[in-house]
């Protein structure tokens, strides 16, 4: 049994409780960002809450992301001990350019990233059918986990080619109009929004690039600042139409005024079915839409009126 500290909690002590119940053999903190900062108060407090997974399970095989400053500190604390697990396997595995696993993106497309690097001591290169450079860290985490389970590096390389995204996470949905939609409505925070916008700006498109963004929840007193920054980033992402929905629409608009954006801007305090239908009616085969927001914004409502070919939502 393994556990990942990513979306497991939003309060201190919850991960410790889950660890006592599940007693995982392998533990991994994927990253520490601004998610749940509204509940926990600071990024440092978020890190402390996620650190519980390693502290509560000191005898687990532990996997660390060395690319994140917070998880690197967790690793440095653990690495001071040279303990090994009782069955002789190395206790600590890492991923980053200095780790047991390192992958680098060498090519991107709307439906793939091509990566090369090493898994264990085996070099390789493979095309992974997922969107976004940022997903290379998720691929490395999966590869490190497989390596910790003594899966052969060659088999891991082969398995990466078959990876798929789950519901609402960089999910590519095609509409009957032919429009391609990147649906990322499972969750959102400042880091994941920034990653989406960076990747979206890189995608080539013969038609229009459209952004539909929802409120980022659980950001507390920093919400205004984060949504202003989101507006500025969105305005520089190369979209012809941007729709932001949520209570912080004024902050978003202020941010977008600081960008180069001078095209079609739609603002609303929430989902509007008439506006969604109107936007859907003008989408065509050459357009690309990115749809992202926190889970509480229920952005799958857009897809329900846009007539997708195959979508379970």
């Amino acid at each position: 049994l393994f556990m990942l500290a990513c979306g497991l909690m939003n309060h201190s002590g919850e991960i410790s409780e889950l660890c006592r119940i599940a007693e995982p053999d392998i533990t991994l903190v994927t990253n520490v960002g601004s998610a749940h900062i509204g509940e926990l108060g600071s990024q440092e407090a978020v890190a402390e809450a996620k650190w519980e997974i390693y502290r509560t399970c000191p005898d687990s095989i532990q996997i660390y992301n060395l690319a994140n400053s917070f998880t690197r500190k967790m690793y440095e604390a653990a690495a001071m001990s040279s303990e090994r697990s009782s069955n002789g396997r190395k206790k600590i595995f890492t991923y980053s350019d200095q780790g047991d696993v390192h992958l680098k993106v060498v090519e991107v497309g709307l439906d793939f990233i091509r990566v090369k690097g090493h898994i264990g001591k085996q070099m390789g290169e493979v095309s992974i059918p997922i969107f976004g450079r940022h997903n290379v860290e998720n691929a490395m985490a999966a590869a490190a986990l497989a390596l910790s389970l003594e899966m052969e590096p060659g088999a891991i390389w082969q398995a990466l080619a078959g990876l798929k995204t789950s519901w609402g996470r960089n999910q590519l949905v095609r509409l009957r109009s032919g429009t391609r939609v990147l649906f990322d409505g499972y969750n959102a925070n400042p880091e994941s929004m920034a990653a989406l916008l960076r990747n979206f700006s890189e995608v080539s498109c013969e038609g229009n690039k459209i952004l539909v963004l929802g409120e980022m929840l659980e950001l507390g007193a920093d919400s205004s600042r984060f949504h202003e920054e989101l507006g500025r980033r969105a305005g520089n992402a190369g979209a012809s139409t941007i729709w932001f929905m949520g209570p912080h629409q004024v902050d978003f608009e202020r941010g977008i005024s600081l960008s180069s954006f001078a095209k079609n801007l739609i603002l609303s305090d929430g989902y509007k079915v008439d506006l969604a239908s109107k936007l859907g009616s003008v989408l065509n085969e050459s357009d690309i839409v990115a749809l992202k927001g926190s889970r509480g914004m229920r952005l799958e409502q857009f897809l329900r009126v846009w007539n997708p070919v195959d979508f379970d939502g």
Side-chain angles (χ1 to χ4, degrees), residues 69-313:
S69 60
F70 290 100
T71 51
R72 176 181 281 274
K73 288 179 181 177
M74 298 177 197
Y75 163 74
E76 290 170 350
M80 292 177 67
S81 168
S82 59
E83 290 179 320
R84 293 176 178 270
S85 57
S86 59
N87 59 11
R89 288 182 292 184
K90 189 168 68 173
K91 183 180 180 183
I92 296 175
F93 287 78
T94 59
Y95 58 99
S96 80
D97 56 346
Q98 305 167 33
D100 299 287
V101 173
H102 176 56
L103 303 176
K104 178 182 179 180
V105 178
V106 294
E107 185 182 0
V108 297
L110 187 62
D111 57 357
F112 77 94
I113 55 173
R114 187 159 192 84
V115 303
K116 68 177 181 180
H118 69 262
I119 297 174
K121 296 182 179 180
Q122 183 168 327
M123 302 296 295
E125 184 172 338
V126 68
S127 182
I128 305 175
I130 55 177
F131 167 77
R133 290 180 179 273
H134 61 293
N135 273 311
V136 70
E137 285 199 10
N138 295 324
M140 285 194 286
L145 175 61
L147 197 64
S148 76
L149 290 168
E150 300 184 341
M151 188 172 175
E152 290 297 322
I156 299 173
W157 276 111
Q158 291 181 352
L160 287 176
L163 290 182
K164 295 181 180 179
T165 56
S166 57
W167 187 94
R169 293 186 181 274
N170 298 128
Q171 183 180 0
L172 188 60
V173 179
R174 188 174 289 274
L175 307 183
R176 297 196 184 279
S177 64
T179 305
R180 292 167 295 172
V181 179
L182 279 167
F183 173 54
D184 203 71
Y186 183 83
N187 208 355
N189 56 57
E191 290 80 13
S192 66
M193 280 288 200
L196 172 79
L197 294 173
R198 282 195 302 269
N199 288 301
F200 191 65
S201 67
E202 288 188 76
V203 173
S204 59
C205 175
E206 294 180 2
N208 294 312
K209 295 169 76 172
I210 298 157
L211 284 171
V212 180
L213 304 175
E215 184 90 0
M216 300 179 293
L217 302 175
E218 296 187 18
L219 295 179
D222 292 309
S223 287
S224 292
R225 174 173 63 87
F226 282 132
H227 282 94
E228 180 177 325
E229 178 63 15
L230 175 62
R232 187 189 65 78
R233 289 180 182 274
N236 291 324
S240 60
T241 296
I242 299 175
W243 179 353
F244 177 82
M245 52 176 278
H248 283 86
Q249 58 181 300
V250 173
D251 300 305
F252 183 89
E253 184 178 23
R254 184 168 55 251
I256 212 167
S257 70
L258 302 174
S259 73
S260 60
F261 187 77
K263 296 183 180 179
N264 187 30
L265 176 64
I266 305 169
L267 298 170
S268 64
D269 58 0
Y271 174 74
K272 307 293 182 183
V273 66
D274 55 335
L275 288 176
S277 297
K278 184 176 181 180
L279 179 58
S281 69
V282 300
L283 297 176
N284 61 57
E285 184 176 4
S286 58
D287 295 339
I288 298 174
V289 182
L291 186 60
K292 182 172 177 63
S294 286
R295 184 71 199 95
M297 301 308 293
R298 298 175 58 215
L299 295 186
E300 65 273 15
Q301 295 173 98
F302 284 90
L303 291 173
R304 291 171 186 161
V305 302
W306 285 352
N307 201 14
V309 173
D310 184 19
F311 176 70
D312 182 15

